[in-house]
Amino acid sequence: YNCDCCVLCFSSDPNFRYKKIMESNKHYKAHDAENVCNIGDIVRIVEAKPMSKDKRWAVAEVVEKAR
């Protein structure tokens, strides 16, 4: 079974000069110990010890299940 998930974080900030709202995305690879995450779930991640080359986060809880 697969114990990791890729988490996408959205953020929207205004441009410092033109004040246009710019959206940016960041991907994090997180460890899912219980293997409960599905595609489209909203999850909360916490910082953890390094588990692989680029996996440094762990899934704390599933906030909202996908419909």
Side-chain angles (χ1 to χ4, degrees):
Y1 58 94
N2 194 2
C3 280
D4 61 342
C5 63
C6 189
V7 179
L8 177 68
C9 293
F10 294 104
S11 65
S12 55
D13 298 318
N15 182 280
F16 74 97
R17 178 177 295 165
Y18 302 113
K19 307 302 186 234
K20 179 181 176 180
I21 302 298
M22 304 298 290
E23 294 181 354
S24 62
N25 302 329
K26 178 93 170 112
H27 288 273
Y28 296 100
K29 288 187 180 176
H31 183 70
D32 181 17
E34 290 87 27
N35 205 20
V36 295
C37 293
N38 292 317
I39 295 174
D41 289 350
I42 297 174
V43 296
R44 180 168 291 121
I45 59 175
V46 293
E47 196 172 1
K49 68 183 181 81
M51 296 174 209
S52 68
K53 177 183 170 185
D54 51 0
K55 189 162 61 166
R56 272 108 172 105
W57 299 89
V59 175
E61 64 176 323
V62 177
V63 177
E64 183 180 330
K65 289 294 227 181
R67 294 189 179 121

